Amino acid sequence: MADLKLAANFWLSEFIRSEIASKEEIDNTPDQKRIENIRYLCTQVLQPIRDYFGAELIITSGFRCDALNKLVGGSPSSQHMCRRGYAAADFTVKGIPNEDVIDMVRFVTSPSGALIDFDKVIAEPGWIHISSHRPRRQFYVANKSHKGEMVYNLVQSLRG
């Protein structure tokens, strides 16, 4: 099942790969419903980004089963767990500055003329977090607080 093709340039194996899961012998395989959530993220969000830049997207964190999410300290409501129609990925685009990718996601239309159908974008230090399902189109910036915790500030909510 790990070789399941989700979109033209995306495979399930990219989303379930985890060194921590392997080391801890955690089965990080999603069920069919969660696979469909990941497929939506790939076809409606990630593939249009890849097509626009013509460059490889490097997924650094994709699906997380409950046990893996807990082990890495993820939020109990993390979209990486692909519940209730959501899916999320942390990624970079090979050779493209993250700021350029974020600008594209926020403002450029796909070949069909539609804006990228994302739920949230977070500009993390060194990568981009993007999620899909309900197209609220919210843009966040992650910053460390004076206590060293990550704080997510809503910059813009684009309805439409």
Side-chain angles (χ1 to χ4, degrees):
M1 179 176 0
D3 291 337
L4 179 66
K5 192 170 189 174
L6 301 171
N9 298 104
F10 294 96
W11 298 85
L12 182 59
S13 58
E14 296 175 86
F15 288 86
I16 64 174
R17 177 180 49 239
S18 167
E19 289 180 27
I20 294 171
S22 294
K23 180 182 172 189
E24 298 297 323
E25 298 181 358
I26 295 171
D27 180 6
N28 195 41
T29 306
D31 61 26
Q32 190 59 42
K33 190 172 184 179
R34 292 176 180 186
I35 289 171
E36 291 310 312
N37 296 342
I38 299 166
R39 184 185 311 276
Y40 184 87
L41 174 70
C42 289
T43 60
Q44 301 303 311
V45 179
L46 299 176
Q47 190 65 49
I49 295 169
R50 189 198 186 287
D51 292 346
Y52 180 85
F53 289 107
E56 178 185 4
L57 266 74
I58 301 162
I59 307 296
T60 56
S61 180
F63 172 72
R64 293 184 206 144
C65 67
D66 294 347
L68 178 59
N69 189 64
K70 186 174 183 178
L71 189 63
V72 301
S75 165
S77 61
S78 173
Q79 294 174 331
H80 285 279
M81 294 189 296
C82 303
R83 292 184 179 151
R84 298 185 265 329
Y86 289 100
D90 297 340
F91 73 99
T92 58
V93 179
K94 191 172 186 175
I96 308 294
N98 288 345
E99 296 80 16
D100 292 352
V101 176
I102 289 168
D103 284 345
M104 176 273 172
V105 169
R106 291 172 66 194
F107 303 115
V108 176
T109 60
S110 67
S112 69
L115 291 170
I116 302 298
D117 189 18
F118 67 87
D119 176 57
K120 289 184 183 175
V121 171
I122 303 174
E124 297 274 8
W127 71 90
I128 299 165
H129 168 95
I130 197 161
S131 63
S132 67
H133 185 25
R134 299 184 181 127
R136 290 188 301 214
R137 299 185 50 78
Q138 296 177 334
F139 174 67
Y140 290 77
V141 173
N143 295 298
K144 285 194 176 182
S145 72
H146 67 281
K147 295 179 181 178
E149 300 167 338
M150 292 306 288
V151 177
Y152 300 98
N153 300 303
L154 178 64
V155 175
Q156 186 175 27
S157 183
L158 306 169
R159 305 274 178 200

